């Protein structure tokens, strides 16, 4: 029997879609899924349903699956991030040979990927931690792929990964070698942090607009924006969501207002904290999700409110458009700043412009701004240092303020827009009250301070009680 060129482990939604994408591109594929319990028929059903693809072979034992692959073996794990990844690697190891390549396409934490990369390297096995973005449709039609690991091992799988990836405006694959060990999963994690913020900005706009507009009217406004430089995949799907009806009712109105998460937004916020990057927009978006989960408390407390909300005043739609643009630019700036810091902290050669390029299609945060970011990031990795971006932000400041004021008047929480505003104000303020923080630290802990009237390499301590 001829051997398969590539293997996929895990026939969940993403594993199935990627397998079909691979088969469609003409690769001979082996797929494996365990067959315990309610997963007994997953493999056979998948093969039967897709019998149009003659290049698909299904397996329910790891050994047969591994032995069905040509050497060096190349296999992609699409299993749940966390302990399952280690379990599957342990199951694979007895049957693998030196130079075989394992790709982890799940949303693994980059530090787990670094550990697995080193462990497997000792055993002569190549490990690639590959960010995969685009959800089910992306996986089937072309995801954005962020592979990290050893460059040589990437070259071994590049023709396959690049064939199944989405294509950018110039027809190039939205897949590029990101960097060593956990770099690929790191970049995917930051993608998700930015995704949380992009989603929450839209949610806050929806909350504010729905004070005075119905879902169709909001969708109409968003469609206008989506025909401009503000266009993005997330805006596009939000328009569909707003318009979806169930009978006479909007389906969205019946969706419970408790947001879930699988952890990547949490990891990106923690990483920003670890690296000292003030990425307050994604952090606010994360906290907004956490807060939404306190549904019962919210319902209880809302009942106790004495002053019921009066019908809100319609916000200035022009101002909202400018404010949204501004907050999005700042979110992108913060995301790229985390990657810029990581580049130094982890000695990765991250090419931010190239990362923007592979995020222009296939992934969840693809947008017109991402197209523009390719060029901006070529000359400076600090988006705020670009005069045209700075000009846009400065001109939009009153509009962001107007959005916040309108949200306050309407009693609509808008943490993410507030964070964007505060970030912008602080970043453009030459003297912050951090002098008082330093004085307080010195007062109670003799932590010392620098002076504005002395060289910065000198540190002072004062007796603050002695007036
Ligand atoms: C993507 C998405 C995808 C996903 C995550 C995050 O790029 O395709 O980011 O990876 O939606 O599962 O989801 P949570 O919102 O559940 O954290």
């Amino acid at each position: 029997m001829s051997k398969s060129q590539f293997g996929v482990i895990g026939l969940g939604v993403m594993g199935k879609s990627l397998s079909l994408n691979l088969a469609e591109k003409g690769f001979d594929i082996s797929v494996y899924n365990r067959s315990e319990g309610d997963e007994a028929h997953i493999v056979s059903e998948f093969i039967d349903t897709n019998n149009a693809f003659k290049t698909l072979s299904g397996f329910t034992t790891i050994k047969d699956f591994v032995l069905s692959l040509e050497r060096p073996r190349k296999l992609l794990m699409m299993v749940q991030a966390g302990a399952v990844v280690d379990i599957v690697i342990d199951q694979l190891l007895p049957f693998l040979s030196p130079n075989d390549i394992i790709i982890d396409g799940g949303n693994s934490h980059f530090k787990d990927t670094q550990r697995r990369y080193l462990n497997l390297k000792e055993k002569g096995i190549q490990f690639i931690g590959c960010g995969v973005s685009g959800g089910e449709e992306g996986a089937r039609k072309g995801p954005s792929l962020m592979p990290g690991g050893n460059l040589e091992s990437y070259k071994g799988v590049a023709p396959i990964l690049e064939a199944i990836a989405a294509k950018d405006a110039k027809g190039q694959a939205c897949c590029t070698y990101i960097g060593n060990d956990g770099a690929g999963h790191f970049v995917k994690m930051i993608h998700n942090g930015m995704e949380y913020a992009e989603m929450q900005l839209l949610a806050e706009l929806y909350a504010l607009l729905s004070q005075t507009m119905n879902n169709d009217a909001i969708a109409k406004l968003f469609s206008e924006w989506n025909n401009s430089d503000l266009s993005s995949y997330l805006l596009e799907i939000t328009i569909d969501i707003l318009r979806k009806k169930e009978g006479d009712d909007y389906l969205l109105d019946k969706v419970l207002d408790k947001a879930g998460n699988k952890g990547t937004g949490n990891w990106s916020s923690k990483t920003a904290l670890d690296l000292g990057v003030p990425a307050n927009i994604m952090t606010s978006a994360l906290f907004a999700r956490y807060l939404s989960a306190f549904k019962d408390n919210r319902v209880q407390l809302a009942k106790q409110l004495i002053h019921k909300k009066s019908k809100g005043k319609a916000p200035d739609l022009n101002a909202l458009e400018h404010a949204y643009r501004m907050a999005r630019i700042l979110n992108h700036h913060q995301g790229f700043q985390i990657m810029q810091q990581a580049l130094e902290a982890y000695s990765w050669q991250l090419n931010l412009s190239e990362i923007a390029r592979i995020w222009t299609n296939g992934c969840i945060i693809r947008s017109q701004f991402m197209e523009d970011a390719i060029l901006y990031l070529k000359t400076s990795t600090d988006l705020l240092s670009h005069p045209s971006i700075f000009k846009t932000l400065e001109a939009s400041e009153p509009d962001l303020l107007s959005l916040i004021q309108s949200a306050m008047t309407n009693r609509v929480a808008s943490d993410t827009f507030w964070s964007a505003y505060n970030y912008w104000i602080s970043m453009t303020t030459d003297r912050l009250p951090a002098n008082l923080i330093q004085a307080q630290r010195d007062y109670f802990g003799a932590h010392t301070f620098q002076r504005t009237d002395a060289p910065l390499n000198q540190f002072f301590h004062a007796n603050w009680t002695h007036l």
Side-chain angles (χ1 to χ4, degrees):
M1 204 176 108
S2 69
K3 303 267 183 191
S4 297
Q5 295 162 286
F6 198 76
V8 177
I9 298 180
L11 289 180
V13 171
M14 294 295 282
K16 279 182 183 161
S17 302
L18 285 166
S19 300
L20 293 178
N21 184 350
L22 284 153
E24 198 172 65
K25 299 292 174 323
F27 296 106
D28 288 315
I29 304 297
S30 290
V31 296
Y32 163 84
N33 200 89
R34 60 182 185 174
S35 54
E36 282 96 51
D38 56 3
E39 291 180 87
H41 306 295
I42 286 194
V43 172
S44 53
E45 279 170 12
F46 179 70
I47 298 293
D48 290 348
T49 319
N50 299 293
N51 58 12
F53 293 110
K54 301 296 174 215
T55 55
L56 276 175
S57 317
F59 298 87
T60 50
T61 65
I62 286 265
K63 183 177 176 190
D64 292 344
F65 165 75
V66 173
L67 296 182
S68 75
L69 302 172
E70 65 181 31
R71 290 173 62 176
R73 299 179 182 99
K74 303 170 188 81
L75 50 97
L76 168 68
M77 295 194 304
M78 292 306 299
V79 300
Q80 198 187 343
V84 179
V85 176
D86 292 308
I87 293 169
V88 175
I89 290 175
D90 286 345
Q91 289 171 347
L92 283 167
L93 277 175
F95 309 110
L96 295 179
S97 313
N99 293 324
D100 284 351
I101 304 172
I102 302 179
I103 307 169
D104 172 13
N107 274 330
S108 291
H109 194 290
F110 75 99
K111 289 200 173 163
D112 284 336
T113 303
Q114 287 178 316
R115 169 179 58 78
R116 289 170 187 142
Y117 173 84
L118 289 176
N119 286 346
L120 287 166
K121 190 173 169 190
E122 278 173 17
K123 297 178 171 63
I125 306 294
Q126 314 281 333
F127 187 63
I128 294 179
C130 182
V132 177
S133 179
E136 182 179 0
E137 196 189 337
R140 179 68 183 83
K141 297 185 181 156
S144 168
L145 298 175
M146 296 147 249
N150 170 296
L151 179 59
E152 285 311 306
S153 34
Y154 171 67
K155 285 183 184 160
V157 290
I160 300 178
L161 296 186
E162 291 176 13
I164 62 164
K167 303 294 174 284
D168 69 13
K170 293 184 180 153
Q172 302 248 312
C174 289
C175 171
T176 194
Y177 172 68
I178 302 283
N180 208 19
D181 55 67
H185 274 145
F186 182 93
V187 166
K188 174 63 184 12
M189 177 187 74
I190 300 305
H191 166 284
N192 282 26
M194 293 163 75
E195 171 188 298
Y196 275 46
E198 293 288 300
M199 291 166 74
Q200 183 62 24
L201 287 170
L202 285 167
E204 290 173 12
L205 283 169
Y206 153 68
L208 179 57
L209 289 166
S210 41
Q211 302 302 305
T212 49
M213 288 160 78
N214 72 14
N215 292 5
D216 265 319
I218 302 173
K220 188 168 171 286
L221 175 72
F222 284 179
S223 297
E224 283 161 23
W225 294 2
N226 206 36
N227 285 326
S228 73
D229 63 303
L230 284 174
S231 79
S232 74
Y233 169 73
L234 282 169
L235 186 57
E236 190 182 307
I237 67 163
T238 304
I239 296 164
D240 289 344
I241 292 168
L242 283 160
R243 288 192 171 137
K244 173 79 183 166
K245 288 245 176 135
E246 199 178 55
D248 289 340
D249 306 323
Y250 291 110
L251 177 57
L252 181 59
D253 296 352
K254 296 183 180 173
V255 176
L256 186 70
D257 54 331
K258 269 170 95 164
N261 79 92
K262 293 206 183 79
T264 45
N266 167 310
W267 299 343
S268 15
S269 295
K270 277 186 187 157
T271 303
L273 294 176
D274 288 344
L275 294 172
V277 182
N280 61 342
I281 306 179
M282 69 173 66
T283 311
S284 292
L286 175 70
F287 284 153
R289 283 201 195 188
Y290 287 176
L291 199 147
S292 77
F294 289 83
K295 173 77 177 173
D296 296 343
N297 307 52
R298 291 192 284 115
V299 170
Q300 273 310 318
L301 293 168
K303 274 187 200 147
Q304 293 171 40
L305 282 181
I306 295 167
H307 302 291
K308 298 293 174 210
K309 196 156 95 174
S310 50
K311 191 82 187 147
K313 192 171 159 274
D316 172 351
L317 300 184
N318 248 342
L320 251 54
E321 181 183 340
H322 296 307
Y324 176 51
R325 179 179 293 102
M326 178 169 183
R328 289 194 62 222
I329 294 175
L330 290 169
N331 175 38
H332 284 71
H333 165 70
Q334 293 185 355
F336 283 108
Q337 284 299 104
I338 305 176
M339 290 188 269
Q340 178 64 20
Q341 284 304 313
L343 187 150
E344 286 158 31
Y346 297 106
S347 313
W348 291 326
Q349 308 287 316
L350 303 183
N351 179 334
L352 300 192
S353 171
E354 184 65 355
I355 290 170
R357 184 190 69 73
I358 64 163
W359 283 354
T360 55
N361 201 4
C363 75
I364 303 293
I365 60 170
R366 60 185 187 259
S367 70
Q368 180 54 48
F369 183 71
M370 201 63 84
E371 296 277 356
D372 304 339
I374 303 176
L375 277 183
Y376 287 128
L377 292 164
K378 266 192 181 140
T379 48
S380 167
T381 54
D382 178 354
L383 289 177
L384 299 191
S385 71
H386 289 277
S388 64
I389 289 196
F390 191 89
K391 221 170 117 192
T392 303
L393 296 176
E394 187 180 11
S396 309
E397 183 185 314
D399 298 315
L400 184 47
L401 178 61
S402 146
L403 179 150
I404 291 168
Q405 283 165 339
S406 175
M408 284 172 78
T409 316
N410 282 282
R411 210 172 176 279
V412 169
S414 53
D415 316 35
T416 315
F417 279 103
W418 277 73
S419 295
Y421 182 75
N422 285 324
Y423 180 84
W424 166 253
I425 295 293
S426 289
M427 280 302 283
T428 51
T429 296
D430 55 356
R431 186 160 166 84
L432 290 170
N435 54 332
L436 179 58
I437 304 293
Q438 285 299 78
Q440 290 164 335
R441 291 176 70 240
D442 189 53
Y443 186 114
F444 61 68
H447 293 296
T448 74
F449 58 93
Q450 292 155 290
R451 296 182 62 108
T452 55
D453 55 359
L456 292 181
N457 59 1
Q458 289 179 23
F459 288 81
F460 299 86
H461 170 58
N463 179 352
W464 293 94
T465 51
H466 190 79
L467 298 177

